[in-house]
Amino acid sequence: MQQKYADTSVVIHELIAKRWSPRSFDPDKPVGRDDLLALLEAARWAPSCFNDQPWRYVVCDKNTDPTNWQAAFGLLAEKNQLWAKNAPVLILAVATSKFNHNGSPSRWGMYDTGAAGMALCLQAVALGLVVHQMGGYDHVKAREVFGIPDDCTPMAMMAVGYQAEADLLADDFKESETGPRCRAPLAERFYAGRWGDLIGLK
């Protein structure tokens, strides 16, 4: 399989360095229930404002619930369907917009749901699974399909499964699947004490 460790400026934990977002999934290898529950448990223990836990997840497992998996798949943009068709699990991450404890508006729900998503992704790495998160899906229709309340916001659709060789992908995707990972330099995105004052690396 294609391993793409991050080329980091300083040493980071292996789980983070190994995590990336492949598109090639093994269509013949389902995700076991214990592993799937472990992903959700990792997300459950993410930090959140007031410990409000604003995340909600709609889990669609092709192996055990093909009807709802197909419903989730049908929401995906056509280009994402070309590769996500092999993912055994699709998960829709949803953020609530009000605090559970008092019903007042919360501006942190999306941030906290993102943190839960990262926890899920790192747990996947630990289990030998891969996750590819997508914004390319019909979030308006998702509300209807899954009965999502008006005060909740559909965020990312996640494809979850076991990585396969890049040869399973259409040619349009093979280059990105096998090419190097890249990020902007650390000094271009992180500031020292004041906006625009770039943090220095010794």
Side-chain angles (χ1 to χ4, degrees), residues 18 20 33 58 73 75 79-81 97 106 120 130 136 144-145 147 152 154 158 161 166 173:
K18 285 176 66 175
W20 66 293
R33 179 169 174 79
V58 181
F73 180 76
L75 296 171
K79 191 169 183 179
N80 284 334
Q81 288 183 342
S97 62
S106 169
L120 187 155
V130 293
E144 175 187 348
V145 169
C152 296
M158 303 177 175
F173 300 115

Side-chain angles (χ1 to χ4, degrees), residues 35-107:
D35 285 346
L36 185 54
L37 290 177
L39 298 183
L40 303 179
E41 184 70 5
R44 185 168 81 98
W45 286 97
S48 63
C49 182
F50 286 116
N51 191 27
D52 195 68
Q53 303 160 57
W55 46 78
R56 304 290 186 270
Y57 288 91
V58 181
V59 181
C60 302
D61 187 333
K62 185 191 292 188
N63 189 50
T64 61
D65 187 8
T67 300
N68 282 317
W69 183 94
Q70 188 62 48
F73 180 76
L75 296 171
L76 301 181
E78 185 176 353
K79 191 169 183 179
N80 284 334
Q81 288 183 342
L82 294 174
W83 58 267
K85 63 185 179 183
N86 290 331
V89 177
L90 294 172
I91 301 175
L92 178 62
V94 179
T96 62
S97 62
K98 296 178 181 178
F99 284 118
N100 292 304
H101 67 278
N102 63 11
S104 65
S106 169
R107 61 182 294 268

Side-chain angles (χ1 to χ4, degrees), residues 54-57 93-96 108-118 155:
W55 46 78
R56 304 290 186 270
Y57 288 91
V94 179
T96 62
W108 298 277
M110 293 182 184
Y111 181 88
D112 293 342
T113 299
M118 187 60 174
M155 302 301 292

